[in-house]
Amino acid sequence: MDFANFLIQLLNSVQYGLLLFMLAAGLTLIFGIMGVVNLAHGTFYMLGAYLAWFLTAQFDNLLLAIVVGALLAVAFGWALEWLLFRHFYKRDHLDQVLLTFGLIYIFQEARSILWGDDVHSVAVPELFNGAIQLTDNLSYPVYRLVVSAVCAALALGLYLLISKTRLGMKIRAGAFNREMAESLGINIRFIHSIVFALGVGLAAVAGMVAAPISSVYPGMGSSVLIMCFVVVVIGGIGSVRGALVAALMVGLVDTFCKVLVPEIAGMAVYMLMAAVLLFKPEGLFKS
Amino acid sequence: MTTRRLVLTRTAAVIGAASSGLLLPQLARAQSDKVRVGFMLPYTGTYAQLGVSIENGFMMALNEQGGKLGGRDVEFFKVDDESNPAKGIENANLLVQRDKVDVLVGTVHSGVQMGIHKVARESGVLSLIPNAGVQIATRAQCAPNVYRTSFSNSQPTLALGKAMVDRGHKKAVWITWNYSAGAEAFEGFEQGYTAAGGTIVEKLAVPFPSVEFQALLTQIAAIKPDAVACFFAGGGAAKFLRDFHAAGLSKTIQLYGSGFLTEGVLEAAGPAAEGVLTTMHYSDSLDTPRNKKFRLDYAKSVKAQPDVYAVQGYDAGQLLVIGANAVKGDLSNKKALYAAMDGVTIDSPRGKWTMSPAHNPIQDMYLRQVVKGENKVIGIAGKAVADPATGCRMT
């Protein structure tokens, strides 16, 4: 593998890893802070992609569709938390698994009724259509760089929100010791609503920016969900930093195994997970 | 207490059903006067449209005979197989044991087909395969009562190699999903391409059903082959076409594929599919009087445009009509029935084809190119292409 090829595969790895991070961050936040195992997280990614397709058809503009879609997704997450999830915080993990597993079926069926089972595609916006020529025969699609940039920006924003702002301090306090935080006057219910809506929003935005590069199809939520859980397990449950590191690791391992040893590409990330758990049973960044 | 009530109601239902059967012997006999045809097809899920097309095509062939088989009326039974391999055997048994069908028509998904195949081999019921290309069904596990009217997975790609070498593309990369249909398609490609003098420089695989191709496309760009040949279908095919195009590869490397690459996905793929060359046993644009008449009749009766799946269903119907006419509707006369169907020539919208001794079509493979969002036939890639039928011994 020459250097240019290596560089492109590196870009591919980072782009895939950052996309996974967007999903895993929400998953790990919702688990770490509210203690909810959310199997339906992948369907929010699917929802995002379908929204991107549907809204792009309405507005004829992907960027506008993403903005509107993100707002819709956050509102949807807020409503879902208020209607359903808040009643399950204190319940058994098994109850939560049942609830969210049921939600997968409901969302899938609703999608089928609303938008059918066809595969759709979303065009890359004209502005980002094209490729950057790296060497005379290797080029990299501009849109994938944009996806990486958007995901990286959101990851940075998330980091700043949690570690530098007052709201982030409250979120961390609530996750650390709920009773103590409440007795200090922090409105934990409100915090939970925000975190949940944020998680849904991140997953949906990931689905929306990924729509032009991954197509829009019915089963897209389930395959990505498995990868997300791998990321969360490797990174350590509840750790956003862990999710970032783990997502990038998964991106690297998956991409380079696909190229170098395709025979084991399907199981390479699981081997990575097993190896990490062998030495760090709680994940890399379990606090 | 619920269970007791359940037991009581179920017992009552069984007794009721049994007694009504006893009380109505006339009705039971009247039913058995009809030929019983069972459809086991996907009517829901990703493949629903394919199942509907197959049934429409099949019904059209029967309706051309006044809706009768060998002079007898026909009664239909349907099971939605949901493309679920786990329920394949159970669903096939429903039709064979409960509905006592004389012939079982199905299905699309190769995994489900293996369930049907097991039941067909054990029960001896006539089984017509209108799509699934799983090779073992007409190879090591071929059977006198199992006929396929579609293709074997390696058949379309078998004809691909020569077309590629004829166009000067002697160094190719092969790429597909890492699953059985992909492996079977590769088998055909490898055989045809190397025989024609081509070299496969690299074989790439993506885990099924992943659609993240970017890393491998970069790899292809680095290898710089003359051409890329592939097997993808459905949503993954549209995605592959668009990624191949977006990576800038379509400018310098010619893309080839098994025909399913460009079936039903041209709209989703858009301009990315332009110029792609594929081989398959049918094309909508086939310019023959037979195909034109079929397409017109189908459009009139079904109010939709037929596709390759409708053609395969139609041919399954034609095959059954020929068999039933030969035995005057008495499908239990198996020896005469199979004798009439063996080696038969079917006048199909895809062109005339013959049934091989292993019960798989020997058919022409068309070379097609996507021009302005349509699969245009530009030649014949293989005349009378047959599946090798390795290991098939009819008993």
Side-chain angles (χ1 to χ4, degrees), chain A residues 9 12 121 137 213-215 259, chain B residues 214-215 218-219 221 239 242 268:
Chain A
Q9 298 297 11
N12 286 333
S121 62
N137 65 321
I213 56 180
S214 80
S215 292
V259 174
Chain B
Q214 185 61 23
T218 307
Q219 190 71 357
K239 170 74 164 45
R242 285 191 297 112

Side-chain angles (χ1 to χ4, degrees), chain A residues 5 8-9 12 119 121-122 137-139 141 144 212-215 217 255 258-259 266, chain B residues 45 205 207 210-212 214-216 218-219 221-222 224 235 239 242-243 246-247 268:
Chain A
N5 190 359
I8 290 187
Q9 298 297 11
N12 286 333
V119 177
S121 62
V122 178
N137 65 321
L138 285 178
S139 58
R144 284 184 184 258
I213 56 180
S214 80
S215 292
Y217 59 100
T255 303
K258 263 184 195 155
V259 174
Chain B
S210 164
V211 290
E212 182 54 49
Q214 185 61 23
L216 296 180
T218 307
Q219 190 71 357
K224 288 189 259 183
K239 170 74 164 45
R242 285 191 297 112
D243 281 7

Side-chain angles (χ1 to χ4, degrees), chain B residues 227-245:
Chain B
V228 168
C230 69
F231 173 83
F232 290 110
K239 170 74 164 45
F240 183 76
L241 288 167
R242 285 191 297 112
D243 281 7
F244 191 84
H245 185 68

Side-chain angles (χ1 to χ4, degrees), chain A residues 6-205:
Chain A
F6 174 79
L7 189 72
I8 290 187
Q9 298 297 11
L10 206 61
L11 285 172
N12 286 333
S13 310
V14 169
Q15 183 257 309
Y16 181 46
L18 284 172
L19 201 65
L20 272 183
F21 168 73
M22 297 267 284
L23 283 146
L27 193 67
T28 206
L29 271 178
I30 290 168
F31 186 87
I33 292 168
M34 291 171 264
V36 176
V37 181
N38 183 14
L39 292 184
H41 202 67
T43 54
F44 300 142
Y45 174 76
M46 177 192 75
L47 174 79
Y50 271 86
L51 273 177
W53 162 73
F54 178 73
L55 293 174
T56 307
Q58 312 301 314
F59 304 144
D60 207 20
N61 183 338
L62 180 66
L63 304 180
L64 184 59
I66 288 179
V67 173
V68 175
L71 292 174
L72 283 175
V74 167
F76 177 69
W78 193 284
L80 204 61
E81 199 270 346
W82 189 77
L83 279 171
L84 277 176
F85 279 81
R86 64 170 50 196
H87 308 294
F88 280 79
Y89 293 149
K90 292 198 173 142
R91 299 279 282 273
D92 207 273
H93 281 329
L94 191 61
D95 291 352
Q96 298 167 353
V97 165
L98 274 175
L99 168 78
T100 52
F101 200 65
L103 282 179
I104 293 180
Y105 283 103
I106 293 172
F107 292 153
Q108 286 283 10
E109 210 49 43
R111 186 226 66 239
S112 179
I113 294 165
L114 267 176
W115 293 316
D117 294 328
D118 290 342
V119 177
H120 301 288
S121 62
V122 178
V124 172
E126 207 54 54
L127 185 59
F128 306 124
N129 211 348
I132 294 174
Q133 206 71 27
L134 290 178
T135 63
D136 54 340
N137 65 321
L138 285 178
S139 58
Y140 198 76
V142 175
Y143 185 73
R144 284 184 184 258
L145 290 176
V146 175
V147 170
S148 297
V150 169
C151 293
L154 284 169
L156 183 69
L158 192 65
Y159 166 75
L160 293 175
L161 176 78
I162 289 178
S163 63
K164 303 284 181 206
T165 65
R166 208 172 166 74
L167 178 65
M169 195 179 68
K170 288 178 180 172
I171 290 175
R172 279 179 288 141
F176 188 68
N177 190 328
R178 187 187 162 130
E179 282 76 22
M180 183 61 82
E182 271 183 326
S183 65
L184 288 172
I186 296 172
N187 186 348
I188 292 292
R189 290 217 124 168
F190 184 64
I191 298 280
H192 281 176
S193 300
I194 288 177
V195 169
F196 194 86
L198 192 69
V200 173
L202 280 174
V205 169

Side-chain angles (χ1 to χ4, degrees), chain B residues 344-355:
Chain B
V344 77
T345 300
I346 300 282
D347 185 14
S348 166
R350 71 182 101 162
K352 286 199 168 92
W353 59 267
T354 50
M355 186 63 80

Side-chain angles (χ1 to χ4, degrees), chain B residues 274-337:
Chain B
E274 280 299 300
V276 172
L277 289 152
T278 59
T279 45
M280 207 166 71
H281 50 282
Y282 181 68
S283 167
D284 295 359
S285 71
L286 213 52
D287 191 15
T288 60
R290 182 76 180 95
N291 188 40
K292 280 184 175 160
K293 180 180 183 318
F294 169 77
R295 296 193 71 84
L296 193 66
D297 291 350
Y298 188 97
K300 267 191 209 155
S301 62
V302 183
K303 309 270 179 278
Q305 286 300 316
D307 50 19
V308 64
Y309 308 103
V311 172
Q312 292 167 175
Y314 179 72
D315 285 359
Q318 292 204 88
L319 178 67
L320 185 62
V321 164
I322 290 170
N325 285 346
V327 292
K328 303 206 166 44
D330 179 17
L331 296 191
S332 63
N333 184 358
K334 292 189 172 166
K335 212 173 158 200
L337 177 68

Side-chain angles (χ1 to χ4, degrees), chain B residues 97 135 145 148 173 217 292 317 334 364 374-375:
Chain B
Q97 287 176 4
Q135 291 180 168
N145 59 319
R148 176 150 53 205
V173 166
L217 292 174
K292 280 184 175 160
K334 292 189 172 166
D364 293 347
E374 202 184 317
N375 280 306

